[in-house]
Amino acid sequence: MKSILAIYPGSFDPVTNGHLDLIERGANIFDRLVVAVLQNLEKDPLFPLPERVEMLKEVTHPWRNVEVDIFNGLLVDYARQRKAQVILRGIRAISDYEYELQLALMNRKLEPTIETVFMMPSEAYSFLSSRLVKEVVRLGGPVDGMVPPLVEKRLRAKVK
Ligand code: PNS
């Protein structure tokens, strides 16, 4: 039987409950799911790579078929190297669609054999993004229910 490996790529600066919702959905559908953290972010990340990876490893521990890894350069090169058949991306709202479509079609042009699969996180997280969570914490607002408790703790420590 064919086993499907999917890559779920992103910045994860930091991981949110929206990401976790998608990881759970992906882990239920695919045989193996690799959460791949982009190393060289163009934007300055709040959390350095080791911290982003450490938090992800801790919160994805319950899923036995989920692995956390890092990647550099082109996503399709990494996916090819991992022999992945699928790239998983989340779409929260129509506003995500245009960018995601562009990304998926560029990736298809670069590597036609790898399929991008879009999944929707629960509508409870449709407003959620790492960027907004960081802003709320920076301005002293509450983020409970938006990120795992360990991420909230680290966020608060960062902005102190
Ligand atoms: O969490 P993000 O920031 O939305 O993730 C974007 C990511 C990491 C998936 C995207 O920027 C990416 O794949 N970067 C790697 C370089 C690459 O392959 N770019 C796509 C060619 S169009």
Side-chain angles (χ1 to χ4, degrees), residues 3-156:
S3 160
I4 305 282
L5 171 66
I7 307 274
Y8 178 39
S11 320
F12 303 104
D13 183 40
V15 58
T16 67
N17 286 346
H19 292 128
L20 277 183
D21 179 281
L22 215 76
I23 289 170
E24 178 165 34
R25 289 171 201 280
N28 284 340
I29 286 206
F30 302 111
D31 298 291
R32 284 187 300 145
L33 183 69
V34 177
V35 181
V37 188
L38 179 62
Q39 182 161 19
N40 287 341
L41 292 184
E42 275 170 25
K43 43 202 175 188
D44 240 4
L46 178 65
F47 291 99
L49 180 73
E51 222 176 330
R52 282 183 276 143
V53 169
E54 192 192 324
M55 287 187 281
L56 268 168
K57 281 192 173 159
E58 221 163 307
V59 297
T60 58
H61 191 69
W63 294 286
R64 292 191 56 198
N65 60 340
V66 174
E67 176 196 332
V68 179
D69 196 9
I70 56 175
F71 79 105
N72 251 320
L74 276 181
L75 174 60
V76 288
D77 285 342
Y78 171 73
R80 252 196 306 252
Q81 176 208 322
R82 293 296 313 249
K83 299 191 179 358
Q85 298 94 327
V86 169
I87 292 169
L88 174 65
R89 289 289 287 172
I91 291 199
R92 293 163 295 193
I94 287 289
S95 49
D96 284 336
Y97 181 72
E98 207 168 331
Y99 170 67
E100 292 299 333
L101 179 70
Q102 236 183 342
L103 198 69
L105 292 179
M106 176 58 88
N107 285 333
R108 177 182 281 169
K109 177 81 183 158
L110 297 171
E111 179 48 77
T113 66
I114 297 176
E115 207 60 61
T116 295
V117 171
F118 294 125
M119 291 178 90
M120 293 161 293
S122 161
E123 66 275 15
Y125 303 121
S126 60
F127 63 94
L128 205 53
S129 71
S130 298
R131 186 180 62 80
L132 282 183
V133 163
K134 284 184 280 192
E135 187 169 324
V136 171
V137 169
R138 206 174 290 128
L139 298 173
V143 289
D144 39 303
M146 300 183 208
V147 290
L150 102 117
V151 174
E152 179 170 359
K153 222 156 98 191
R154 297 230 186 173
L155 272 165
R156 301 243 173 255

